[in-house]
Amino acid sequence: MGEVVAVLGGGQLGRMLGLAGVPLGLSFRFLDPSPEAPAQALGPLVVGALGDEAALRDVARGATAVTYEWEGVPAEGARALEQLGYAVRPGPNALEVAQDRLGEKETFRRLGIPVPAFAAVDTRDELARALDDIGTPAVLKTRRGGYDGKGQVMLHRASAVEAAWAELGAPAVLEQMVRFDRELSVLAVRSLAGETRCYPLVENRHAAERGTGGILRASRAPAPAVTPALQAAGEAIAGRLLDDLGYVGVLAIELFQVGDELLANEFAPRVHNSGHWTIEGAETSQFENHLRAMLGRPLGSTNARGHSVMLNCIGAMPDIDRVLAVPGAHLHDYGKTPREGRKLGHVTVTAATAEELDDRVARLEFLVDA
Ligand code: AMP
């Protein structure tokens, strides 16, 4: 048997890592708390908690390298594997920074990466002081465990503070609400030897409605109207962060564009939903490049092939035949049980020109809940 990759987490990201790794001759083993984890189509599944030491040893046994597909993986578990001699890539330090919104923002600031004004909030008094400094509108976010817009409350008026404090409490971070022009992300891959390559900036649209607010609905790549200076700014942000973390693998940074400036919101130390378009839309997918990096192989080109849009299928899958009838459309069904607000799959549509892409997206938007 060739090289074995152990993946902590067995969701769709693990599944797509497996799909990208099979042609490279890799075998996979996954650890997930759910016996229904979608990645098990690509390799044996160890069912257990992601912080459980026995389960971690079990999934890692004999693996060439260990990676994770969820930033909630307890960093101590990843560290324990490292101490047993396993190559854990990206390293557990990236998990630690990403798991604490305050540490994440302080890291950006230390590296000279612009961020929205923020303040740490540990007590009700600190919240009052932070509001005096930052003003409204602002966003109160829990320091740990928030994702997809969960664990955060928008404060449009100072009078909304009591309810927000009762809902979230401390430890939290208060952040200035940014009137951004649009949301972008930069996906970057850094090799074992320290070379960083970035994909073209991606434009992201998130759901705003209650219940599914904050979930990514659609990504377009390359993002329209990106000047070389803006692309360079995104790449500089990614380069600084990945070098500082000594990072190996793919990482995504969510950005707010305000005029010509990029502000960093947060980063995910893993392959990312806003990079799914790379499967069909780039010369090397984010999944393949993540595996190449963690196994010490040469990186692949991050150039886009034409124009792509990725639409998430949330809560329900579209009619497969109608989707596949759209030229350039590719359906990805993660094999998950439908539930409201759950990402069940995605559709990527590619085209040679932006105009052709717009036509195809218009046809797909009727079919996909995006
Ligand atoms: P997050 O959980 O930090 O990724 O936030 C989810 C979404 O909430 C983002 O994609 C933005 O649409 C919105 N959001 C978060 N923070 C801010 C902010 N400081 N200003 C404006 N919108 C924000």
Side-chain angles (χ1 to χ4, degrees), residues 5-334:
V5 172
V7 186
L8 310 184
Q12 63 264 22
L13 301 177
R15 179 176 164 116
M16 288 184 271
L17 279 169
L19 284 166
V22 170
L24 296 174
L26 305 175
S27 303
F28 288 84
R29 227 165 24 232
F30 301 93
L31 172 63
D32 198 276
S34 166
E36 277 150 34
Q40 65 191 296
L42 277 301
L45 174 70
V46 176
V47 179
L50 293 165
D52 181 278
E53 260 199 52
L56 286 164
R57 279 171 195 257
D58 210 12
V59 74
R61 192 165 297 123
T64 310
V66 179
T67 192
Y68 41 88
E69 57 101 77
W70 184 50
E71 66 271 33
V73 166
E76 314 82 64
R79 273 208 195 292
L81 287 180
E82 222 174 33
Q83 271 147 19
L84 289 171
Y86 289 104
V88 180
R89 294 175 185 151
N93 63 322
L95 280 176
E96 266 158 9
V97 178
Q99 282 169 1
D100 178 6
R101 279 194 192 272
L102 183 63
E104 192 178 24
K105 287 174 194 304
E106 285 171 343
T107 300
F108 284 133
R109 191 145 72 183
R110 175 170 57 77
L111 296 173
I113 297 169
V115 286
F118 69 90
V121 172
D122 287 327
T123 63
R124 178 68 183 78
D125 281 350
E126 276 180 9
L127 177 57
R129 274 199 297 278
L131 267 173
D132 283 345
D133 289 347
I134 290 171
T136 53
V139 194
L140 186 65
K141 298 180 176 180
T142 51
R143 269 177 67 174
R144 294 186 172 273
Y147 66 96
D148 278 356
K150 294 189 182 71
Q152 67 179 52
V153 181
M154 305 282 177
L155 292 173
H156 293 283
R157 286 172 303 280
S159 60
V161 170
E162 287 315 327
W165 179 246
E167 190 178 332
L168 291 188
V173 178
L174 187 77
E175 201 177 298
Q176 162 207 9
M177 193 183 293
V178 179
R179 297 186 199 284
F180 51 77
D181 298 317
R182 58 177 172 170
E183 293 188 74
L184 300 170
S185 56
V186 57
L187 277 134
V189 58
R190 188 169 179 274
S191 74
L192 206 49
E195 179 200 1
T196 297
R197 295 187 183 187
C198 293
Y199 289 90
L201 289 175
V202 180
E203 181 178 301
N204 300 314
R205 182 163 55 79
H206 292 90
E209 64 269 30
R210 234 185 139 62
T212 53
I215 297 186
L216 181 68
R217 309 311 288 249
S219 294
R220 184 176 184 123
V226 171
T227 60
L230 196 71
Q231 178 70 29
E235 295 194 6
I237 289 172
R240 259 178 268 165
L241 180 65
L242 271 69
D243 283 344
D244 182 69
L245 294 171
Y247 196 85
V248 177
V250 167
L251 180 146
I253 308 173
E254 297 182 18
L255 304 163
F256 299 134
Q257 182 181 353
V258 184
D260 293 334
E261 196 184 22
L262 295 175
L263 302 178
N265 176 31
E266 61 179 359
F267 75 86
R270 52 169 171 78
V271 287
H272 192 251
N273 196 170
S274 71
H276 291 0
W277 65 274
T278 60
I279 297 175
E280 294 88 6
E283 284 186 31
T284 316
S285 80
Q286 62 164 344
F287 302 100
E288 182 176 337
N289 257 338
H290 184 75
L291 295 168
R292 288 185 186 216
M294 62 179 283
L295 296 169
R297 305 253 161 77
L299 299 181
S301 164
T302 48
N303 289 341
R305 298 170 163 150
H307 300 261
S308 306
V309 164
M310 187 260 357
L311 303 170
N312 270 334
C313 307
I314 299 167
M317 287 302 291
D319 182 280
I320 180 165
D321 288 314
R322 294 177 73 190
V323 167
L324 297 183
V326 176
H330 301 268
L331 184 77
H332 297 254
D333 185 331
Y334 307 150

